[in-house]
Amino acid sequence: MKIKKILILTTVVLFCLAARQDAVLRVKAIGKASPRIIQKSRARAAAYRAATIEAYKKMAAAAGFSQTYQSGNQKYIRVEAFITGARVVDKRYITDYEVEVTMEIPRAQLVQQVKKVKKSVYEKQISETQHEIKAVREQIQQLTLKLSELKKMLKELEVKANEES
C-alpha cells in the first residue's frame, strides 16, 4: 500500500513539474454515428458527441485515470474521471457519419483536477482504514473481556478443585 501511494505521489509530482501555465494537453479523437440514422444532421450530431466523449476518455487516460483489465482473452481500458475545462479547438467532418475532433485543456488546470481527485481518494482510504482500525479495536476489547471472564472461571475452578482435594 505504501509503495502504491509513493508511486502515485511521484506521478502527480512529475505531472505537476511538467505542467507549465502555457502548456496544454491536446488530443484528437474520431467519432462515428450509427449508419441507421437517416437524417444527416442527427448523424453529424451523434458523430460529434461520440468524438468529444472519446477525446475526454483520451484526456483522462493521459492524466492517469485509466485502468486496464482483462476479461477472457480481451483487454479493456476502463476510465473513471470527471474532467472539466476542456474545449474543442477543431472539428473536421470526414463524412456525414464520421467526425474528427481536437480538444485541449491547460495542463495546469488538469493537474489541479488530478490533485483534487487523488486527495479525495487518499482521504477515503484513510477514512476506511480508520473505520477498520476502530472495528479491530472493538474486537480486541471484546476478546479482552472474554479472556478476563475465562480467567475468572479458571480461578473459580481451581478454588473448587483445591477445596475438593
Side-chain angles (χ1 to χ4, degrees):
M1 182 130 164
K2 288 182 182 179
I3 294 173
K4 185 178 179 183
K5 286 183 181 179
I6 291 171
L7 288 174
I8 291 172
L9 285 174
T10 305
T11 304
V12 171
V13 169
L14 290 174
F15 197 64
C16 290
L17 291 174
R20 298 183 310 266
Q21 290 295 346
D22 59 341
V24 294
L25 173 65
R26 184 174 289 134
V27 296
K28 284 187 178 189
I30 294 176
K32 296 179 182 180
S34 170
R36 289 185 273 160
I37 300 174
I38 297 172
Q39 293 179 329
K40 289 183 180 184
S41 60
R42 286 190 179 184
R44 282 180 155 217
Y48 177 74
R49 183 172 187 273
T52 55
I53 289 170
E54 190 62 30
Y56 273 116
K57 283 182 190 178
K58 286 183 175 184
M59 280 184 182
F65 289 115
S66 63
Q67 296 175 341
T68 304
Y69 66 97
Q70 192 161 346
S71 177
N73 40 337
Q74 291 214 352
K75 286 188 178 182
Y76 297 95
I77 295 177
R78 179 179 175 184
V79 178
E80 285 188 32
F82 186 78
I83 296 176
T84 58
R87 62 188 181 101
V88 176
V89 292
D90 186 35
K91 72 177 167 185
R92 181 176 66 88
Y93 288 97
I94 300 166
T95 67
D96 288 333
Y97 294 91
E98 196 171 5
V99 64
E100 180 185 67
V101 168
T102 304
M103 288 181 72
E104 67 180 31
I105 185 170
R107 284 189 188 244
Q109 187 175 356
L110 188 58
V111 166
Q112 292 302 317
Q113 292 178 39
V114 169
K115 287 192 320 190
K116 184 178 176 182
V117 168
K118 297 297 182 186
K119 181 180 176 185
S120 68
V121 167
Y122 291 141
E123 288 172 350
K124 183 179 177 185
Q125 288 175 346
I126 289 169
S127 174
E128 289 172 355
T129 304
Q130 287 173 340
H131 284 9
E132 290 172 6
I133 290 170
K134 185 178 178 181
V136 168
R137 283 185 178 156
E138 289 173 1
Q139 289 176 348
I140 290 171
Q141 200 172 26
Q142 290 173 356
L143 289 171
T144 305
L145 289 174
K146 291 264 187 199
L147 183 61
S148 64
E149 289 175 12
L150 289 172
K151 284 181 179 179
K152 185 178 176 183
M153 288 173 62
L154 185 60
K155 275 190 176 181
E156 289 174 2
L157 287 172
E158 285 177 353
V159 170
K160 280 186 182 180
N162 287 339
E163 288 176 358
E164 289 178 3
S165 52

